[in-house]
Amino acid sequence: MMFNSKNRIFLLTLTLVLSLTLTGCLGLLLGEEEIPPTKPQEEELQPTEPPAESAEEETTQPEGLVTNLQDVKSAVIQIEAQGTFVDPDFGEYVGAGRGTGFIIDPSGLAVTNNHVVTGAALLKVWVGGERETAYNAKIIAVSECSDLALIDLEGDGYPYLSWYSDPVQVGLEVYAAGYPLGDPEYTLTKGIVSKENASGETSWASVSQVIEHDATINPGNSGGPLVTADGQVVGVNYATYAEANQYFAIGRETAQDVLARLESGADFDSLGINGSAVISDDGTFSGIWIYSVKSGSPAGEAGLIGGDMIASMENLPLAADGTMSDYCDIIRTQGADSTLAVEVFRFPEGVELEGQINGSPLSVVSAPDSPTDPAVNQPPTSQPSGGTITVSDDTGALVINVPASWNELDGRLWEADWDDLHFVAASLQAAPDLEAFKNSYSASGVDFAASRDWGAIGGYIQLLDGVEHWFTDSCIKEGRYDYEDEVYEGSYDLWECAVDEAVVVLAARPTHDPTAFLTLVQVQIITDDDIDALESILASFDVVDSLP
């Protein structure tokens, strides 16, 4: 598997979005019966009827149970999973991906997707849109084939959701609740059920019952609830086909069955991986790529690690159709605790391994005489060749580290009008050839700016949306991803402008004072050294003095 310059961009500590299409991604009180709908109290006919207070007791809702759409927010959570992951295109990086979940019991039991949490070192959870307190959460159990996970938040006394008890039919009005694009702002979108039983075969799961709907979801919605107007859960959002306005939720029946099994604390239909089916462009090889592995799981005990690809299991080639179907069918046929023969490719080392899940650990059966792809077999350099220099704008407010060869600078103030907004921004451009950088996307360089005025158009998402038109005529947008470091939080867009030419555009705000200002960083990636330059830029960009 070859890695070009654009593919190496994410060897940095950028925030992980586990998949561009894993986006959809339990109102069940596990082990208890569902709460029947409240019936109107019958008219009293005889003096011997029970006293009024007895009837009131029958209609009293359990404390904390959400019974309307407005209160759904109180039981919906944003989950941040921090850990080290390995992407088939982008390589290894430390990331903090964000998804959604929802609470199903006042004790703090909550549901999300397997792909949101498996392999993470730690979980941080925010409840009901509140950002003041981040809760710890423990993973109780997961099902990687059904893409479901049950977690437990510290503390108790939480609001919670229940399952929709009537038949789910086409035309049912539904709402998708969650935190798309990693934004801490809660969102709710409206739609209808467009198909009761859609195909649940995807590159990261094999689900028996899936609901298709048109309530818009995006990356970050993964694991969030699809609810009715009464706040009852119809399904668990996990996937999207945005081009066709089709969105998918794991259906109520499947979710309830799987979650009842997970309540015991044992994983179900799982070997302990966070993975996805991959297939080469020419179709000559395929398999299950592993982003990360759960410690102590059958996969972990066998010696599988992030960056491995399982090419075959029980001598059956995997993922030839681009889905997890064969992988999950073998697990469901043999059982996750059975001995399963596997053939594995470990691309970073360029070796082939064979062994068994729940049997003989992996061992190397073949290795190349020498590395065939430096981008795969050699770690990235710690800094661009030639070293770096620290540069600043004319006001002294901005600082950034760039390659020493990027010594042509423009640090003048940037003043302009965007529609009705007049703004002034501190600005700094650096490049080896500044004129070429300013006039094309085929020249290396960075453009870093910050303004207190940009908050008038919204947050960092709105800022990114506002500058998209700069690139749409010449580039193709690969995706939008979360970003977070010790000082800033935001999102970035990746644009492909030509073969081996890419642009990263980051909008961010300071986490200690989110309303103080917004920053915009544009880096053009042409060579391998530019990838290392991007790492230096993201590690150093800062506003160190008062902005104009």
Side-chain angles (χ1 to χ4, degrees):
M1 179 174 294
M2 302 296 290
F3 285 59
N4 60 26
S5 296
K6 177 175 72 68
N7 291 335
R8 287 190 55 231
I9 291 172
F10 293 87
L11 292 170
L12 315 178
T13 55
L14 299 181
T15 302
L16 171 65
V17 175
L18 293 175
S19 170
L20 304 185
T21 59
L22 278 62
T23 60
C25 71
L26 306 286
L28 169 67
L29 297 178
L30 296 177
E32 300 181 8
E33 296 182 355
E34 294 185 70
I35 300 169
T38 302
K39 294 176 60 178
Q41 188 170 324
E42 296 180 1
E43 181 180 357
E44 185 175 319
L45 299 178
Q46 300 183 30
T48 57
E49 286 290 314
E53 55 268 21
S54 297
E56 288 179 5
E57 290 177 3
E58 290 182 4
T59 61
T60 299
Q61 295 287 357
E63 185 176 356
L65 175 64
V66 172
T67 58
N68 60 74
L69 188 62
Q70 183 177 359
D71 291 339
V72 166
K73 177 181 178 180
S74 66
V76 177
I77 61 177
Q78 185 176 45
I79 303 167
E80 182 176 279
Q82 299 182 13
T84 299
F85 303 88
V86 184
D87 189 277
D89 286 329
F90 307 145
E92 180 178 304
Y93 51 90
V94 178
R98 289 182 179 177
T100 301
F102 57 97
I103 300 170
I104 61 168
D105 187 274
S107 66
L109 284 178
V111 180
T112 187
N113 289 142
N114 172 75
H115 76 255
V116 171
V117 300
T118 291
L122 64 90
L123 301 179
K124 295 169 71 174
V125 175
W126 292 270
V127 178
E130 296 295 330
R131 305 302 295 179
E132 289 77 12
T133 303
Y135 297 88
N136 291 322
K138 176 183 178 181
I139 300 173
I140 302 300
V142 302
S143 173
E144 63 199 42
C145 287
S146 296
D147 198 19
L148 289 168
L150 186 64
I151 66 175
D152 185 17
L153 280 61
E154 61 178 329
D156 55 23
Y158 294 100
Y160 65 98
L161 304 180
S162 64
W163 290 107
Y164 180 67
S165 58
D166 294 332
V168 177
Q169 298 178 336
V170 170
L172 176 67
E173 187 177 282
V174 290
Y175 299 80
Y179 298 90
L181 305 176
D183 196 301
E185 188 72 22
Y186 171 80
T187 67
L188 191 69
T189 57
K190 180 180 179 180
I192 62 169
V193 171
S194 49
K195 187 179 290 185
E196 297 169 20
N197 289 286
S199 172
E201 302 297 341
T202 67
S203 63
W204 67 92
S206 178
V207 187
S208 59
Q209 185 219 356
V210 168
I211 297 168
E212 180 183 312
H213 62 89
D214 63 359
T216 302
I217 56 178
N218 283 290
N221 276 114
S222 293
L226 185 70
V227 301
T228 65
D230 294 328
Q232 295 181 316
V233 180
V234 172
V236 184
N237 286 315
Y238 88 118
T240 180
Y241 181 31
E243 292 82 355
N245 194 32
Q246 295 176 346
Y247 308 98
F248 301 92
I250 300 165
R252 173 190 59 188
E253 289 83 358
T254 294
Q256 286 179 303
D257 178 63
V258 171
L259 292 167
R261 295 171 181 267
L262 299 185
E263 186 190 22
S264 68
D267 293 345
F268 174 65
D269 287 346
S270 298
L271 298 182
I273 70 168
N274 190 332
S276 180
V278 294
I279 186 168
S280 63
D281 291 339
D282 60 6
T284 56
F285 70 91
S286 62
I288 306 301
W289 181 273
I290 300 176
Y291 298 107
S292 57
V293 177
K294 178 182 178 181
S295 298
S297 66
E301 293 297 314
L304 287 165
I305 60 174
D308 286 347
M309 186 188 80
I310 307 174
S312 71
M313 183 181 291
E314 286 295 283
N315 298 313
L316 180 69
L318 300 178
D321 62 352
T323 76
M324 292 273 278
S325 176
D326 289 338
Y327 170 83
C328 288
D329 284 346
I330 292 172
I331 292 175
R332 287 163 175 157
T333 299
Q334 303 289 336
D337 56 352
S338 297
T339 301
L340 303 171
V342 291
E343 179 186 17
V344 175
F345 293 107
R346 184 164 292 168
F347 290 96
E349 299 176 12
V351 299
E352 178 184 353
L353 305 97
E354 291 181 357
Q356 297 172 327
I357 306 293
N358 301 311
S360 302
L362 292 174
S363 61
V364 176
V365 295
S366 68
D369 293 332
S370 62
T372 57
D373 183 357
V376 174
N377 292 283
Q378 297 178 9
T381 58
S382 59
Q383 63 177 18
S385 58
T388 62
I389 56 175
T390 301
V391 295
S392 180
D393 70 307
D394 291 351
T395 71
L398 309 181
V399 294
I400 197 167
N401 292 342
V402 298
S405 60
W406 293 17
N407 55 9
E408 293 190 15
L409 307 176
D410 184 349
R412 293 173 293 177
L413 281 178
W414 177 18
E415 188 168 359
D417 293 304
W418 286 351
D419 294 329
D420 296 331
L421 173 66
H422 179 80
F423 69 86
V424 177
S427 177
L428 174 61
Q429 296 175 319
D433 184 340
L434 198 55
E435 192 65 25
F437 169 70
K438 289 182 176 182
N439 290 289
S440 76
Y441 296 122
S442 59
S444 307
V446 59
D447 190 339
F448 173 33
S451 175
R452 295 180 297 178
D453 300 327
W454 287 339
I457 65 173
Y460 52 80
I461 295 296
Q462 289 75 21
L463 181 56
L464 274 183
D465 291 343
V467 301
E468 276 194 346
H469 68 279
W470 292 354
F471 310 98
T472 50
D473 289 342
S474 304
C475 307
I476 298 174
K477 185 177 177 181
E478 294 279 326
R480 177 169 292 177
Y481 311 89
D482 296 338
Y483 176 85
E484 186 173 12
D485 59 31
E486 294 180 355
V487 181
Y488 294 96
E489 63 178 359
S491 292
Y492 64 94
D493 290 343
L494 173 62
W495 296 86
E496 182 178 1
C497 303
V499 176
D500 282 341
E501 295 178 7
V503 181
V504 172
V505 185
L506 166 69
R509 64 190 181 190
T511 52
H512 72 282
D513 189 359
T515 62
F517 58 85
L518 291 173
T519 66
L520 192 64
V521 182
Q522 175 185 331
V523 184
Q524 293 178 189
I525 312 296
I526 312 301
T527 70
D528 281 355
D529 279 349
D530 294 344
I531 300 173
D532 300 324
L534 175 63
E535 183 174 7
S536 294
I537 289 166
L538 294 179
S540 63
F541 79 93
D542 202 3
V543 176
V544 297
D545 204 347
S546 298
L547 291 168

